[in-house]
Amino acid sequence: MGQTILFPNDQEREIKLGNMSLEKGDYQKALKHFEKVYEKNPSYELNRQINRCLEKQGAFNQALLLAEEYQERYDCDPAGFNQVFHLYLLDQQFLLARKYWRFANKRAELAMVDFEQAKQELTQLEQVFSFYDPESLHQKREYLLKVNGSQLPLPNQKWEELIKGLPYASFVTIAKEILAKAYNPYLRPRLVEELVKLGFEKELFIQDVKGIKQKCVLKDLVLPENHPALLRMLDYLEANFSQEDPVLLDSIKAEVKAHFALAYPFCPQRKAPEAWAESYWVEYQVALGVQGDFRLEEFDKIQLEKQEWRSLLQIQL
């Protein structure tokens, strides 16, 4: 009786051909084989293989975007972490690499990763970049100083362009300079948030939205979306008014978040979050004619703060 020969199915065949091409260094051909399977049957393992091909071809940003499809798996896998971390380095996204390092360093699943070695690689690469491209750093500083002189928001795409290739030490220096004389109401909270995410813990003097310099200890800060005062405000609104007018409540909650972000890191709402939350609901009820103007008298000081923020944000009731 002759030996039975088992032929692999199409998927196994494409993966085998992809691995053979990968071993030969034909990354474009390997990519085509892996993508053909991934299109019909995506998996974390194939995602990593495709990213290897993209990395070898210099498509670092494309690889990072693809990794997002299985981000949770990468974040729990030592090999996956190393792959994403080095893609950040190769793409010169030093600040994102540092934030990813800080995030991953806290995960029990990644206990076997040599985080000290990873940090050394990041630091060394930042030092090299700072030495060989000081003009780029100067241009980024000048641009951010110019943005600080305006009252216009910085588009996300432009922000991503600015922080790419920006070493941590250079970013901290620029942020400290701008925050000491912060004028742009959008740039101030963005810089502070970035410093918090990067783990900067030192004390700074920051010019607030009213032009007053205040001391700020960054190690004591939490991000706006996690701030207890904001969460208490949102919970209060939800608990007391969610049944009355859900559509209006969603609009109010959006404005509450916008105002909180604008005031960050010096948020007056932290002193009386429930009163602040109540003031928004009452204000809109007055505007709709549901309640009388006298109801706003108890919120006079709060209303003054809100009107300043609305002026900056160009929000009109």
Side-chain angles (χ1 to χ4, degrees), residues 36 237 303:
K36 189 173 182 180
L237 289 167
Q303 289 302 108

mmCIF file of all heavy atoms in Angstrom, residues 36 237 303:
data_model
loop_
_atom_site.group_PDB
_atom_site.id
_atom_site.type_symbol
_atom_site.label_atom_id
_atom_site.label_comp_id
_atom_site.label_asym_id
_atom_site.label_seq_id
_atom_site.Cartn_x
_atom_site.Cartn_y
_atom_site.Cartn_z
ATOM 1 N N LYS A 36 -2.406 37.769 2.618
ATOM 2 C CA LYS A 36 -3.454 37.004 1.941
ATOM 3 C C LYS A 36 -4.219 36.152 2.953
ATOM 4 O O LYS A 36 -5.453 36.030 2.876
ATOM 5 C CB LYS A 36 -2.822 36.113 0.862
ATOM 6 C CG LYS A 36 -3.833 35.437 -0.055
ATOM 7 C CD LYS A 36 -3.128 34.714 -1.198
ATOM 8 C CE LYS A 36 -4.131 34.070 -2.138
ATOM 9 N NZ LYS A 36 -3.450 33.365 -3.262
ATOM 10 N N LEU A 237 -24.424 64.491 38.102
ATOM 11 C CA LEU A 237 -25.346 64.804 37.013
ATOM 12 C C LEU A 237 -26.130 63.572 36.583
ATOM 13 O O LEU A 237 -27.339 63.634 36.357
ATOM 14 C CB LEU A 237 -24.564 65.374 35.823
ATOM 15 C CG LEU A 237 -23.991 66.787 35.999
ATOM 16 C CD1 LEU A 237 -22.995 67.102 34.889
ATOM 17 C CD2 LEU A 237 -25.111 67.816 36.010
ATOM 18 N N GLN A 303 -20.364 80.948 38.034
ATOM 19 C CA GLN A 303 -20.771 81.454 36.728
ATOM 20 C C GLN A 303 -19.694 82.338 36.100
ATOM 21 O O GLN A 303 -19.477 82.325 34.891
ATOM 22 C CB GLN A 303 -22.084 82.227 36.847
ATOM 23 C CG GLN A 303 -23.306 81.355 37.132
ATOM 24 C CD GLN A 303 -23.512 80.292 36.064
ATOM 25 O OE1 GLN A 303 -23.280 79.108 36.296
ATOM 26 N NE2 GLN A 303 -23.913 80.719 34.876
#
